[in-house]
């Protein structure tokens, strides 16, 4: 059985082979420009955000500042990272959808079920990203509220970590599933049915995104890794469901 780390390492090697690397450099350039702008914005305001959070700590909890402060820092970093990821994924989605299609042709020798043109694939990818945002943002808001509640927010970093891994899995595994006409609801069912591989894959992608600059070159490999994971872990679930019905 293909594990998540092997899928990511194979995928990264695959996207830089002569037949596929031309589909990689444009999303790298787009992400670089977005990351540069967002990073400048965050660095200029990070201290003010942190001071605002610490000012909300009740006086009777000030003796726990040594613990609350690092938890606030971790939560804030996770929120910033999560926002970065959502924005860059939305912008890069049309390019990554096309890359996933080309990788699937190479890996399986067959085109995806929904073999679309470039323009239609790009528009559909943006629409799919909006569907994902509709799923992610309410849950993100709930975690954000938890992060502001004294005492309860001590578990916020753990919750953010798990949610981020799950979201990364949804974000990248959705590219091959969308290309194969798997609905968003069906995709979540398939991911739930393979929760351990799904969270493991999402966790590795999360770690990749935390590597400054290197992540720009590794994330296309996560798209290819998602295609490999789709082919080995999730593709046949649709057939199994049809038989059971």
């Amino acid at each position: 059985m293909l594990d998540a780390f092997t899928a990511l390492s194979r995928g990264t090697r695959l996207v830089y082979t002569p037949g596929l690397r031309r589909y990689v450099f444009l999303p790298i350039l787009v992400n670089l420009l977005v990351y540069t702008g967002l990073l400048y914005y965050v660095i200029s305001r990070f201290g003010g955000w942190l001071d605002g959070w610490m000012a909300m700590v009740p006086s009777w909890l000030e003796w726990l500042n040594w613990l609350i402060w690092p938890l606030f820092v971790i939560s804030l970093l996770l929120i910033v990272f999560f926002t970065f990821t959502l924005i860059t994924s939305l912008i890069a989605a049309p390019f990554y959808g096309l890359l996933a299609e080309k990788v699937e042709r190479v890996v399986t020798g067959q085109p995806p079920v929904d073999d679309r043109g470039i323009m239609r694939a790009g528009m559909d990818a943006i629409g799919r990203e909006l569907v994902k945002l509709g799923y992610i943002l309410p849950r993100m808001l709930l975690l954000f509220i938890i992060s502001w509640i004294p005492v309860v927010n001590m578990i916020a970093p753990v919750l953010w970590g798990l949610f981020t891994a799950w979201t990364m899995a949804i974000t990248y595994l959705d590219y091959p599933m969308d290309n194969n006409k798997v609905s968003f609801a069906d995709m979540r069912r398939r991911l739930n049915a393979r929760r351990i591989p799904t969270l493991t894959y999402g966790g590795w992608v999360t770690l990749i995104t935390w590597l400054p600059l290197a992540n720009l070159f590794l994330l296309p490999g996560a798209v290819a890794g998602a295609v490999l994971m789709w082919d080995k872990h999730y593709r046949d679930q649709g057939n199994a469901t049809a038989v059971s019905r």
Side-chain angles (χ1 to χ4, degrees):
M1 183 66 72
L2 183 74
D3 64 88
F5 181 79
T6 301
L8 287 168
S9 60
R10 286 183 186 172
T12 301
R13 292 193 300 269
L14 183 61
V15 294
Y16 290 102
T17 55
L20 292 171
R21 60 189 175 200
R22 57 184 167 177
Y23 300 103
V24 170
F25 294 113
L26 188 55
I28 288 176
L29 177 60
V30 171
N31 281 340
L32 179 61
L33 293 174
V34 173
Y35 264 79
T36 301
L38 290 176
L39 190 61
Y40 174 80
Y41 177 82
V42 168
I43 290 176
S44 64
R45 288 166 173 76
F46 191 87
W49 292 339
L50 188 58
D51 291 341
W53 275 24
M54 291 303 296
M56 296 183 65
V57 177
S59 58
W60 59 275
L61 280 178
E62 288 182 354
W63 64 279
L64 273 179
N65 276 356
W66 63 273
L67 177 61
I68 294 174
W69 185 86
L71 289 175
F72 273 163
V73 171
I74 294 172
S75 295
L76 190 54
L77 286 173
L78 286 170
I79 291 171
V80 168
F81 154 79
F82 200 80
T83 305
F84 270 37
T85 302
L86 288 179
I87 293 174
T88 54
S89 296
L90 180 61
I91 294 173
F95 308 110
Y96 284 160
L98 178 62
L99 176 62
E101 177 189 332
K102 301 304 180 183
V103 170
E104 187 165 346
R105 288 175 181 270
V106 171
V107 170
T108 66
Q110 299 291 330
V113 171
D114 196 1
D115 191 11
R116 299 165 287 188
I118 294 177
M119 290 299 296
R120 184 190 159 200
M123 295 301 297
D124 289 351
I126 293 175
R128 186 78 164 208
E129 287 300 310
L130 294 177
V131 172
K132 283 188 278 188
L133 286 177
Y135 170 83
I136 293 169
L137 289 180
R139 292 160 176 79
M140 181 181 176
L141 178 61
L142 177 60
L143 283 178
F144 185 75
I145 293 172
I146 290 174
S147 300
W148 285 79
I149 301 175
V151 181
V152 178
N153 57 18
M154 290 185 179
I155 65 171
V158 176
L159 296 177
W160 274 108
L162 290 172
F163 183 62
T164 300
W166 178 251
T167 302
M168 289 298 97
I170 286 178
T171 298
Y172 285 88
L173 288 167
D174 186 52
Y175 294 126
M177 294 205 193
D178 184 30
N179 286 342
N180 285 276
K181 303 183 75 172
V182 176
S183 70
F184 186 72
D186 189 17
M187 179 197 69
R188 288 190 287 113
R189 180 195 62 77
R190 296 184 192 215
L191 297 189
N192 270 312
R194 296 284 192 274
R195 190 167 298 179
I196 297 302
T198 299
L199 286 175
T200 303
Y201 171 82
W204 279 114
V205 176
T206 300
L207 290 176
I208 287 174
T209 59
W210 279 94
L211 300 174
L213 295 180
N215 57 8
L216 299 176
F217 299 92
L218 294 175
L219 286 178
V223 176
V227 175
L228 296 173
M229 292 287 288
W230 150 256
D231 192 48
K232 296 298 183 182
H233 289 275
Y234 306 102
R235 185 191 295 273
D236 291 339
Q237 287 184 23
N239 296 332
T241 301
V243 170
S244 66
R245 290 177 179 176

